[in-house]
Amino acid sequence: MPDNKLPRHIRAYGDRIDGSVQMSFSLPMPASEHAKEVAKHYAEAHGLDHVLVASMERASDDFSFFVVYGKSKHTVSPGEIKVPDVHIPTWSPKEIDEHIKTKLKRRIVIVGACTGFDAHTVGIDAIINIKGAAGDKGLESYAWIAAYNLGAQVDNPSLLAKARDLKADAVLVSQIITQRDIHKENAQELILLAQKQNLRHMKFILGGPRIDNLLAQQLGYDAGFGSGTKPSDVAAYILDVLLKEQGNHQ
Amino acid sequence: MNLLPIRPSDVEDCRHSAASIADAMQKFINQHSTVSIERTILLFYGVAGANADGIPLINLCVEQCVNANIINQGVAYQIAQHIKAGSCSPQESAEKIGYGGEIIPITITPQEAIDILKPFTKQAMEKIDSSCHQRTTTMEGFESHEQKRFGPLKYVIVATGNIHDDAVQAQAAAQSGADIIAVIRSTAQSLLDYVPIGATTEGFGGTWATQENFRIVRAALDIEQEKQGRYLHLVNYSSGLCMAEIAYMAAIERLDMLLNDAMYGILFRDINPRRTLLDQYVSRRIIARANMVINTGEDNYLTTADAIDAAHTVIVSHFINEAFATQAGLQKNQMGLGHAFEIDKNIEDSFLFEIAQAQLVRQLFPDHPIKWMPSTKHKTGDIFWSHRVDGMFDLIGIMTGQSIELLGMMTEAIHTPFLHDRFIALKSADYIFKTARHLGDEISWKPEGIVVKRAQNVLTDAKTLLQEIEQTGFFSAIAKGSFGDVCRTETGGKGADGVFERHESYVNPILDELETNA
Ligand code: B12
């Protein structure tokens, strides 16, 4: 059902609602008047009118670089676009601890790692380690969360083995390198393996700068978190789903 | 450029502590070897080839020696014994050992082994020396251009994953003004305990470092530099589990610089500390012999630790890297110590702190080709903002007289650089270097000002930490998380089982040669 409260047929806003967009790209041909015209056609092929090739630069002997402005013909209606939002209750870290204690009445166990050959630890550390992110303390700082950070370059079987041993409620996976979709393959394999090992009842959460909730769900995860995620968001999300499962959520 | 007022005695104290830290480790280094070092010796002796599964013969051969418990005598010993028994070359011996599993009992003395290998050792040294000679004479041929250029050498990265695209992009970068091209390695290569063979087209976040890949890009740059009449430098990575092997391949293929750090692998890839120390030593011996330049990785510390709080650890690491490099026979002009513009951009006056650090490093290491690295961690997907950050960075680069500058990319937080990302960065750096060429000469420091105070504090903290490490030792400093907030234990990490103690009869004529070269 389209959401009728949202505006319909919007376009990019430049000086007014005029569909102004800027594109920049290289073409595999030397800079020349001919190349400039090719660039213009290339922009038009993307639905731009009134194309202005604002700049043509010689990027090298065989490549030319362009900055192009134009008016896009296309429109979109926000109401027709669905985003699977992650539901994050607005609880403070203190409230989260309190709710775990009084409502869930047991500690939450989480295990996290940056998996595969990915050696980027800063993101998962920001979520789990006490230090946290942007002033928001990591999951380790919660009295009612037992958080285990396995670090980076962790292979999927080791992560699942640890999750099983600790009877984890949630498995946190970080994937930072995305060139040629390496993150998708590896992240998906973990879910397949979890299913095989009958561990899919745990919550699986994927994070990283190029991850969003939609992508995470497509890869079989319960939720996905992208750039700027705060640890308290993750804690609130996990608590919320666990409470819902327990059935005493209000 | 006016110098910051820092106490020369502080600098001397730092160097003194670092030298004693490295000295203490050298004893350990001289008594041990690794599988990677032994494989490198076979490379020197010209051993080539692989089995049907693509596993290099040098790996098979060293593995056989490990399994037979004779690796502690050095792989060269067994090779010599095979020659004694009738093999006509190290290659033939290695094939018997590696493919055939033929380990034969040692009957010759170490000295006899060295004598048997003498002609091959001589040949091996001639080969690396002739590559080095070819490279340096080519470079000298372009000297007239060198006299005209000014400002830091402009260094850019290519990382398409496909070596043939890398070659195209390396040429394109040179055509838009780059002086130095680094091909960065694929994700996962640092943990491979062998170097793949042949040209590769499938890498992630970089391209596999192989000898053939080195050759392909060097050939592309050879053509380009003839066209342009100026020398183009090529860089790759001698790090991970195959530091020494890669250093050798790079020397043969005429690379100019190698990322090579005494601690990077330990901290950022969880490689065993002992393994890294040993491998860095031999790799640096090779780099010294071939007259290449190392690039150290201190910039990385500031991605896992806070760049304000941990600024002194960068300086500490510079002194330690310098001391280890000196022990491996490197000259100052071969030590490209790395540091970075990595303070959180939301912090007031952080630009002044960055100036302080850049100028401090310049002053502490005046004869070193220091490498100034851009902001990375605090870049965002807002490429327009990120591009402005790079402009501020370029300004410090020219103002403080950095030797090498790795240009910042506006798309740093998004992808490995595209062709036009490099073009834009080069064009902007040219603008800033040219218009601010003599800015540094105009500056004198306010004695009680923010910059001077900051530099002095960082140096004092560095001195204190160095003295502490001198007391506790290198391994325990790493275990305590002194660098990059990362803790690693002496016996933990990957590749630990590839380390062994040398037997008293250990034979390694190649290392002997590299060590007498100093
Ligand atoms: C620091 C860094 C490094 C350091 C990592 C140090 C360490 N121990 O982590 C070092 C130098 C080792 C490194 C190495 C490499 N890197 Co790097 N690196 C970066 C850099 C500069 C910053 C990343 C970072 O720390 N961000 C800060 C953190 C806090 O942000 P974050 O990771 O996004 O995390 C937040 C959210 O995403 C989220 N989140 C993240 N994970 C998770 C998990 C869960 C469960 C949840 C809920 C949330 C969550 O929450 C976090 C807090 O808000 C980025 C560029 C950039 N500016 O992004 C490149 C970058 C990620 N690296 C890159 C590459 C290519 C590499 C190398 C492959 C280079 C090479 N060829 O050697 C190697 C990879 C080695 C390996 N095996 O992985 C590329 C990736 C390109 C791509 N799209 O694929 C980037 C984008 C740089 C570039 N433009 O080329 N890198």
Side-chain angles (χ1 to χ4, degrees):
Chain A
M1 270 284 288
D3 184 342
N4 292 325
K5 287 189 298 265
L6 289 168
R8 295 170 59 79
H9 306 303
I10 65 166
R11 320 171 68 187
Y13 190 103
D15 203 16
R16 51 182 70 181
I17 298 205
D18 52 10
S20 282
V21 297
Q22 179 258 315
M23 277 171 85
S24 52
F25 53 86
S26 294
L27 289 178
M29 62 189 293
S32 67
E33 278 311 304
H34 183 207
K36 202 169 171 177
E37 196 55 29
V38 173
K40 187 172 168 225
H41 281 257
Y42 189 63
E44 282 167 354
H46 286 77
L48 300 192
D49 274 341
H50 297 92
V51 170
L52 168 69
V53 178
S55 178
M56 173 177 69
E57 305 274 332
R58 172 197 167 279
S60 74
D61 294 352
D62 304 319
F63 289 89
S64 42
F65 172 66
F66 299 90
V67 178
V68 169
Y69 277 87
K71 312 265 187 226
S72 167
K73 294 191 278 255
H74 303 299
T75 64
V76 280
S77 296
E80 287 165 12
I81 294 166
K82 289 274 162 276
V83 195
D85 272 338
V86 187
H87 178 63
I88 303 171
T90 46
W91 293 326
S92 71
K94 244 181 137 168
E95 287 168 329
I96 293 172
D97 249 339
E98 196 55 34
H99 291 331
I100 304 177
K101 188 174 158 189
T102 58
K103 295 184 182 163
L104 196 67
K105 300 194 178 79
R106 63 172 181 86
R107 289 182 124 205
I108 294 177
V109 179
I110 69 111
V111 182
C114 184
T115 58
F117 287 103
D118 204 323
H120 293 87
T121 54
V122 183
I124 191 78
D125 286 353
I127 301 299
I128 300 183
N129 298 2
I130 295 197
K131 209 159 125 190
D136 193 269
K137 292 243 180 313
L139 301 180
E140 277 177 2
S141 70
Y142 291 74
W144 285 82
I145 296 179
Y148 300 86
N149 184 354
L150 307 189
Q153 303 180 139
V154 176
D155 58 54
N156 289 335
S158 314
L159 176 58
L160 288 181
K162 191 82 184 173
R164 182 193 291 111
D165 287 352
L166 294 165
K167 299 199 174 51
D169 294 293
V171 179
L172 269 51
V173 179
S174 182
Q175 289 281 274
I176 310 297
I177 299 175
T178 59
Q179 200 183 40
R180 302 188 17 251
D181 284 346
I182 189 173
H183 61 308
K184 293 188 189 167
E185 263 171 56
N186 190 52
Q188 214 158 11
E189 269 166 29
L190 177 74
I191 297 296
L192 295 177
L193 198 61
Q195 282 162 350
K196 259 197 219 142
Q197 302 189 359
N198 290 323
L199 293 174
R200 190 58 192 88
H201 58 279
M202 296 174 179
K203 303 294 153 222
F204 281 80
I205 300 172
L206 186 62
R210 302 272 88 78
I211 305 294
D212 57 36
N213 194 38
L214 182 61
L215 173 65
Q217 292 195 349
Q218 284 166 353
L219 296 175
Y221 284 72
D222 294 286
F225 290 84
S227 287
T229 304
K230 289 186 301 191
S232 59
D233 296 342
V234 182
Y237 165 78
I238 296 173
L239 173 59
D240 186 53
V241 289
L242 292 179
L243 286 176
K244 273 182 186 145
E245 268 183 6
Q246 193 176 274
N248 68 356
H249 192 53
Q250 44 245 352
Chain B
M1 165 68 96
N2 268 298
L3 295 184
L4 292 165
I6 50 172
R7 272 207 304 273
S9 65
D10 280 350
V11 184
E12 273 164 38
D13 289 348
C14 286
R15 279 220 160 79
H16 183 266
S17 295
S20 97
I21 294 163
D23 262 354
M25 296 319 305
Q26 193 60 37
K27 224 178 128 206
F28 169 82
I29 292 172
N30 292 339
Q31 289 167 348
H32 293 77
S33 180
T34 72
V35 288
S36 168
I37 293 171
E38 299 303 317
R39 295 192 301 250
T40 308
I41 302 317
L42 295 175
L43 284 179
F44 267 90
Y45 284 128
V47 174
N51 71 5
D53 297 329
I55 301 175
L57 176 56
I58 56 172
N59 282 69
L60 296 169
C61 189
V62 168
E63 252 161 57
Q64 291 291 351
C65 293
V66 169
N67 295 341
N69 268 325
I70 56 161
I71 194 65
N72 60 355
Q73 297 179 310
V75 72
Y77 209 160
Q78 180 66 204
I79 293 280
Q81 187 71 51
H82 269 273
I83 294 174
K84 175 80 181 176
S87 291
C88 66
S89 67
Q91 175 73 24
E92 194 184 324
S93 311
E95 285 173 7
K96 285 189 179 150
I97 302 166
Y99 297 143
E102 291 175 38
I103 299 285
I104 52 179
I106 297 288
T107 59
I108 53 177
T109 66
Q111 189 54 49
E112 281 167 340
I114 293 169
D115 292 340
I116 288 170
L117 289 170
K118 204 161 231 157
F120 302 105
T121 306
K122 184 162 173 272
Q123 225 180 347
M125 289 301 147
E126 280 167 4
K127 183 164 180 198
I128 186 169
D129 290 346
S130 105
S131 283
C132 171
H133 179 76
Q134 190 189 350
R135 188 174 67 80
T136 43
T137 46
T138 311
M139 202 186 296
E140 281 156 18
F142 292 109
E143 220 136 61
S144 61
H145 172 84
E146 276 307 294
Q147 281 151 10
K148 275 182 281 167
R149 62 168 300 282
F150 64 90
L153 286 165
K154 286 168 288 189
Y155 176 126
V156 294
I157 279 170
V158 300
T160 67
N162 178 327
I163 197 63
H164 305 294
D165 286 312
D166 285 343
V168 170
Q169 297 220 15
Q171 287 181 327
Q175 287 160 10
S176 43
D179 301 300
I180 306 176
I181 314 289
V183 179
I184 64 172
R185 285 163 321 161
S186 175
T187 313
Q189 178 150 21
S190 13
L191 300 186
L192 281 190
D193 217 342
Y194 66 92
V195 182
I197 294 177
T200 69
T201 55
E202 298 273 305
F204 297 97
T207 308
W208 298 98
T210 73
Q211 189 165 345
E212 177 62 8
N213 286 351
F214 292 174
R215 195 195 59 73
I216 290 171
V217 182
R218 184 66 259 178
L221 291 182
D222 282 349
I223 296 170
E224 193 56 37
Q225 69 195 12
E226 282 306 321
K227 235 163 78 183
Q228 293 195 29
R230 65 187 181 107
Y231 188 75
L232 296 168
H233 302 253
L234 179 60
V235 188
N236 210 292
Y237 288 57
S238 157
S239 56
L241 289 173
C242 298
M243 290 177 93
E245 287 151 282
I246 291 183
Y248 176 77
M249 294 175 184
I252 295 302
E253 299 305 334
R254 294 182 288 115
L255 270 62
D256 300 279
M257 297 181 187
L258 285 170
L259 279 276
N260 180 285
D261 192 289
M263 288 181 274
Y264 179 85
I266 303 173
L267 301 172
F268 294 96
R269 293 296 186 285
D270 195 12
I271 292 173
N272 173 256
R274 294 176 168 180
R275 171 77 179 257
T276 299
L277 265 203
L278 294 160
D279 288 349
Q280 67 86 28
Y281 172 70
V282 174
S283 65
R284 286 176 176 189
R285 279 281 168 205
I286 296 167
I287 292 168
R289 178 81 179 211
N291 202 14
M292 293 186 279
V293 169
I294 58 167
N295 292 183
T296 63
E298 284 85 356
D299 51 293
N300 297 295
Y301 299 172
L302 307 180
T303 63
T304 49
D306 181 79
I308 291 209
D309 303 341
H312 65 292
T313 65
V314 169
I315 306 292
V316 166
S317 178
H318 285 156
F319 281 113
I320 295 179
N321 253 318
E322 179 192 44
F324 277 127
T326 305
Q327 274 177 341
L330 287 170
Q331 304 299 310
K332 288 177 184 150
N333 66 5
Q334 292 177 277
M335 302 177 195
L337 304 171
H339 60 126
F341 185 70
E342 200 61 287
I343 304 177
D344 184 345
K345 308 299 173 274
N346 289 311
I347 294 173
E348 186 169 289
D349 283 333
S350 64
F351 185 69
L352 278 65
F353 292 0
E354 298 282 17
I355 293 175
Q357 184 87 7
Q359 178 62 24
L360 179 63
V361 175
R362 181 68 287 174
Q363 271 177 239
L364 298 174
F365 305 98
D367 305 317
H368 306 56
I370 54 171
K371 182 180 177 199
W372 180 226
M373 313 274 279
S375 167
T376 59
K377 182 177 165 183
H378 296 288
K379 287 275 185 65
T380 73
D382 179 354
I383 55 171
F384 304 103
W385 178 81
S386 294
H387 189 47
R388 176 149 294 195
V389 168
D390 290 333
M392 300 285 270
F393 159 78
D394 289 337
L395 190 60
I396 295 183
I398 184 77
M399 184 180 129
T400 58
Q402 300 297 315
S403 315
I404 298 169
E405 185 180 292
L406 194 163
L407 299 192
M409 295 290 134
M410 63 203 271
T411 52
E412 168 65 34
I414 308 170
H415 49 234
T416 51
F418 286 173
L419 186 127
H420 45 258
D421 297 335
R422 278 188 296 268
F423 161 72
I424 292 165
L426 284 159
K427 182 179 170 185
S428 307
D430 280 338
Y431 153 59
I432 292 168
F433 288 178
K434 187 171 173 194
T435 56
R437 180 168 178 179
H438 296 103
L439 176 62
D441 301 343
E442 298 286 316
I443 289 175
S444 48
W445 309 105
K446 199 165 140 191
E448 297 294 316
I450 297 174
V451 173
V452 168
K453 266 215 195 101
R454 171 72 183 169
Q456 286 173 342
N457 288 343
V458 170
L459 184 58
T460 309
D461 290 351
K463 181 173 131 177
T464 311
L465 180 56
L466 274 163
Q467 287 171 342
E468 205 181 297
I469 299 174
E470 192 180 354
Q471 295 306 314
T472 60
F474 177 74
F475 286 137
S476 73
I478 287 182
K480 278 202 307 205
S482 297
F483 304 101
D485 280 351
V486 181
C487 305
R488 304 289 190 206
T489 57
E490 184 179 344
T491 49
K494 306 188 161 67
D497 55 359
V499 175
F500 58 88
E501 197 174 344
R502 299 185 197 171
H503 188 263
E504 57 188 19
S505 65
Y506 180 76
V507 171
N508 190 339
I510 298 289
L511 187 57
D512 295 343
E513 273 294 323
L514 293 172
E515 285 176 336
T516 50
N517 159 251

